[in-house]
Amino acid sequence: MSAVPTDFHLAQVNIARIKAPSFEDPAMLGFVSRVPEINALADASEGFIWRLPQGEDDVYLRPYDDPRLLFNLSVWESIEHLQAFVYRSTHVDFLRQREQWFEALGQAHLALWWIPADHHPGVDEANDRLSHLRRHGPTAYAFTPGRPFPAGLHAPMI
């Protein structure tokens, strides 16, 4: 993908459901113990803009009724910057081990979309984008890393 105009940034939301009944379960130790390290890595990564503040346990925000469902929302300068963090940093260790900690959701759990550079999306906006992706597949309104849309291309909700 080509360079992103500086008037747009990439928002990303991803959700996951832990397998264990709580973060305190010993099965979650390998994940929970490394979250601060991975968050610090993201914060220091080239192209990182902003992350929605986390919940009380300093692991993940949990805005749903299901306390095992985790929510992560961040903003990046470009898809390339996000992919460098996710796939070419220590974060990739989390991806390799995700089946130890997380259930398969059976539906889209990650959505990307372009936002004005001065905007910080919230939980409702992120949930709307993820729901749209689940209903309609990748569009300019909400897309996936494997099917990106150019910055500045905005599609109305279907």
Side-chain angles (χ1 to χ4, degrees), residues 4-74:
V4 175
T6 57
D7 51 343
F8 291 98
H9 289 152
L10 182 75
Q12 77 80 32
V13 61
N14 67 77
I15 61 171
R17 180 178 291 117
I18 63 174
K19 287 182 173 181
S22 73
F23 281 124
E24 292 76 30
D25 190 291
M28 293 303 299
L29 181 62
F31 173 77
V32 173
S33 67
R34 294 198 58 206
V35 169
E37 166 198 346
I38 296 302
N39 285 342
L41 178 65
D43 294 350
S45 291
E46 183 179 358
F48 175 81
I49 304 292
W50 174 85
R51 177 170 25 93
L52 187 68
Q54 296 173 343
E56 295 174 15
D57 56 18
D58 200 32
V59 176
Y60 271 90
L61 180 67
R62 291 181 271 187
Y64 307 110
D65 290 336
D66 181 348
R68 293 173 44 222
L69 200 57
L70 310 183
F71 180 92
N72 177 273
L73 175 61
S74 61

Side-chain angles (χ1 to χ4, degrees), residues 81-144:
H81 286 114
L82 174 61
Q83 289 177 328
F85 165 69
V86 171
Y87 301 111
R88 293 187 296 281
S89 75
T90 306
H91 180 274
V92 79
D93 294 342
F94 272 72
L95 294 180
R96 290 183 184 128
Q97 298 174 35
R98 69 181 168 240
E99 290 180 5
Q100 292 178 20
W101 304 310
F102 302 106
E103 295 177 358
L105 292 179
Q107 58 185 340
H109 64 277
L110 168 72
L112 308 174
W113 69 100
W114 294 107
I115 59 173
D118 60 350
H119 177 63
H120 289 168
V123 173
D124 290 342
E125 178 180 344
N127 281 331
D128 177 63
R129 301 292 177 142
L130 187 56
S131 292
H132 187 273
L133 178 65
R134 288 173 175 170
R135 285 190 314 271
H136 305 287
T139 67
Y141 190 77
F143 51 91
T144 63

